[in-house]
Amino acid sequence: MEQDVQVLYNVFHEPPLGFWIALYFYMTGLSAGSFILSTLSYGFGLKKYKPIGFIGVVLATVLLVLAPLNLIIDLGRPERFWHLFPYLNVRSPVTWGSFLLTIYPINCLIYAYFMRKKNDRMTKIFGLIGIPLAISVHGYTGFILALSKARALWNTAVMPILFLVSAMVSGIALMILVVQIRKLFAPPGARATYDAILVDLGRILAASILADLFLIFSDVLVLFTADTEAREAAIMILSLDFSPLFLGVEVFLGSLVPLAILALPQLNKRPGWLSLAAACVMLGILAMRYIMVIGGQHLPLS
Amino acid sequence: MATRWAMVVDLRRCIGCHACQVACKAEMGTPLGVYRNWVKVVQKGRYPNVSLSFLPSFCNHCENPICVRNCPTQATYRREDGIVMQDPHRCIGCKYCMASCPYDVRFLDPLKGIVQKCTWCHHRLDVGLEPACVNACPTRALIFGDLGDPESEVAQVLARNAVQVLKPEKDTLPHVFYIGADMVAMRTYGGAEAREVEVDWVRWFLAKIGLLRPRAPVRE
């Protein structure tokens, strides 16, 4: 039964997590994706990908050193950030993060050091240690949202895996752009190897985008059939405040357009088009982080 | 039994005067723009069949508080007597507790940069006084006391009345109980902003796959 209802007075507090947090999720995602690509040759012995091994770990380290700065800027009392260690709470995903964000960059540096020293055995060991760390350092951010039970858009089991797959998507796209630049500085004889890697990266990117689209579809479909708040959240991203970002940027520009470019044989080997697809993907995933963090808090709770 | 503070809000007595809200602001010196408690006011119906519903809203001092679980520095903790506290010296202002709380009763103190909340006036309780909001309520709609003491008014009112809590599906086990709360006042959207799909082709598609909710009947 519908009634004439009007809320005359209510209090809403400012949404706690802002753009800095969305940017932080974006950067850890890029870092984890880059690291996984780096281990293709040094961890799993796929020699073909050796040229991107070092690029990957440099990207992973730089992004992961910068990412926590977003978190510290976002704190109400930034000078107290060290409280996270002595007063830790093992049940809180934020505490898991404070340790992962410390260990992961250190592992990245050791891995890069042995790679530079051409010590293949040690590189492999630290590369393989790094894989679960990379998965955790981004996967835990999915748990940060999933375990905040207040918000319907976050409190789903698909969130951590959605974050991991989108991290892979954005990491590959970043790698494509960086490899294009790296190719410009390579001796003419070596460019063919980079071109071959680019074609492969394009294929992995297309497969990851498909996986990401499936997870988004699954998420929205289940939100629609769950409780009232979940339904409101689904409607919000499909048709109201966040639909231009969700349907326009994340799904169309960030997934369908790159997928079309990567599927067309006339386009998917041309560097310009490949870069365009990668740039679209990076924009789409940034939109996804923004929708998840800001959009997730858009619906009032009181 | 050990002390377990609890509150019953008897909405049959509430007149929507906001005295609890004012008393809280005065007692705690809460900064402008943020509130430790407030009275949500919802109007429903059409003249002449119309009514106001009130919902005094505070921290629910949950038995299973998600904020305590998620606080990374243990700045938020549960006292033995059930009060969910916020340590102002420990809090780093990460706001994760605010993101986790299903009731939006936590806020970032704009002056101190830390998260603050209702503590049921623990400083008054500890010297034998009742919370400021309870003290100010002119109709005694706010009933506060020790649930562990079967002789207390709150325990007896709770035992004798049909009560409900906010968002029980969140499994937080709130300890603010409401008597006679209206459904639309308890609902997050107050029923007023029930949203529907507005993009035509999305609506068409959802109708095709059977996910569209029937629209409210048009009233003359």
Side-chain angles (χ1 to χ4, degrees), chain A residues 214-232:
Chain A
F214 171 73
L215 287 173
I216 294 169
F217 167 77
S218 164
D219 191 21
V220 172
L221 184 65
V222 175
L223 282 175
F224 248 103
T225 46
D227 60 15
T228 313
E229 286 174 34
R231 191 190 160 81
E232 297 281 344

Side-chain angles (χ1 to χ4, degrees), chain B:
Chain B
M1 258 172 89
T3 306
R4 200 332 173 176
W5 300 114
M7 184 182 276
V8 173
V9 182
D10 189 345
L11 289 161
R12 296 168 302 188
R13 294 178 180 172
C14 180
I15 56 173
C17 68
H18 295 259
C20 48
Q21 194 173 348
V22 175
C24 177
K25 275 267 187 185
E27 174 73 25
M28 306 301 295
T30 316
L32 278 178
V34 289
Y35 299 86
R36 282 181 165 81
N37 72 352
W38 68 93
V39 183
K40 182 177 177 180
V41 182
V42 180
Q43 171 191 293
K44 71 169 180 180
R46 279 192 173 189
Y47 180 82
N49 300 312
V50 63
S51 67
L52 284 181
S53 305
F54 309 111
L55 192 80
S57 310
F58 334 76
C59 172
N60 284 286
H61 296 275
C62 306
E63 195 72 20
N64 182 22
I66 186 71
C67 52
V68 171
R69 184 193 171 89
N70 280 349
C71 174
T73 61
Q74 300 181 40
T76 283
Y77 58 98
R78 233 179 115 257
R79 281 198 346 183
E80 290 281 301
D81 55 7
I83 299 181
V84 176
M85 295 286 292
Q86 182 76 17
D87 183 339
H89 307 290
R90 186 67 74 79
C91 176
I92 61 173
C94 75
K95 295 163 282 184
Y96 190 38
C97 55
M98 292 170 65
S100 312
C101 173
Y103 307 103
D104 200 11
V105 292
R106 295 172 154 266
F107 58 87
L108 190 75
D109 188 314
L111 306 176
K112 295 179 182 160
I114 55 170
V115 174
Q116 294 280 28
K117 67 184 287 297
C118 160
T119 60
W120 266 342
C121 285
H122 68 285
H123 57 290
R124 289 172 59 95
L125 284 181
D126 290 348
V127 295
L129 298 168
E130 57 192 356
C133 53
V134 177
N135 190 48
C137 182
T139 58
R140 293 182 32 77
L142 301 181
I143 302 159
F144 186 86
D146 177 10
L147 217 55
D149 171 14
E151 301 298 313
S152 71
E153 186 187 2
V154 75
Q156 293 182 358
V157 169
L158 204 54
R160 285 187 192 149
N161 288 277
V163 297
Q164 40 191 334
V165 295
L166 288 172
K167 302 187 186 179
E169 74 280 4
K170 296 292 179 189
D171 193 37
T172 47
L173 310 180
H175 271 57
V176 173
F177 303 90
Y178 294 89
I179 300 175
D182 191 87
M183 182 183 82
V184 293
M186 295 184 85
R187 263 175 63 177
T188 298
Y189 303 97
E193 291 172 47
R195 290 143 187 260
E196 258 314 332
V197 179
E198 279 171 8
V199 180
D200 283 342
W201 68 266
V202 175
R203 192 164 69 230
W204 175 85
F205 177 74
L206 291 174
K208 282 285 168 207
I209 61 174
L211 281 178
L212 211 61
R213 187 163 51 188
R215 291 205 146 205
V218 182
R219 287 175 294 262
E220 63 276 20

Side-chain angles (χ1 to χ4, degrees), chain A residues 84-86 88-90 93-105 133 137:
Chain A
L84 287 165
F85 295 97
L88 64 99
N89 171 12
V90 288
V94 174
T95 290
W96 311 345
S98 36
F99 286 92
L100 290 168
L101 289 172
T102 315
I103 299 167
Y104 172 77
L133 278 176
V137 89

